[in-house]
Amino acid sequence: MLTLFGIKVSYEALAFFVLFIGSEVIGASKLRENSIVQVILRGIEAIKPHRTEDDKIQRIKDTFK
């Protein structure tokens, strides 16, 4: 429990309010036309050139064909 301005708040309630405010910020920004999933997928696509696991998996699949 945290006490903020004399009000006791649980960590779960604080986490909920932080996530809620974060979702409102995303909704009010240029990202409002995109869902959270699309934002996450865009981040994954951005780091994909640095990943080598997909190439290794493809080589193993090609070995068994």
Side-chain angles (χ1 to χ4, degrees), residues 28-47:
S29 69
K30 289 190 290 186
L31 298 174
R32 73 174 160 208
E33 60 206 26
N34 298 323
S35 70
I36 296 295
V37 173
Q38 289 172 337
V39 172
I40 293 170
L41 289 176
R42 190 175 297 151
I44 291 170
E45 290 294 323
I47 63 171

Side-chain angles (χ1 to χ4, degrees), residues 7-44:
I7 300 172
K8 289 187 178 182
V9 180
S10 69
Y11 291 113
E12 293 86 4
L14 188 62
F16 171 78
F17 286 121
V18 167
L19 292 173
F20 176 75
I21 291 170
S23 70
E24 291 298 314
V25 168
I26 289 174
S29 69
K30 289 190 290 186
L31 298 174
R32 73 174 160 208
E33 60 206 26
N34 298 323
S35 70
I36 296 295
V37 173
Q38 289 172 337
V39 172
I40 293 170
L41 289 176
R42 190 175 297 151
I44 291 170

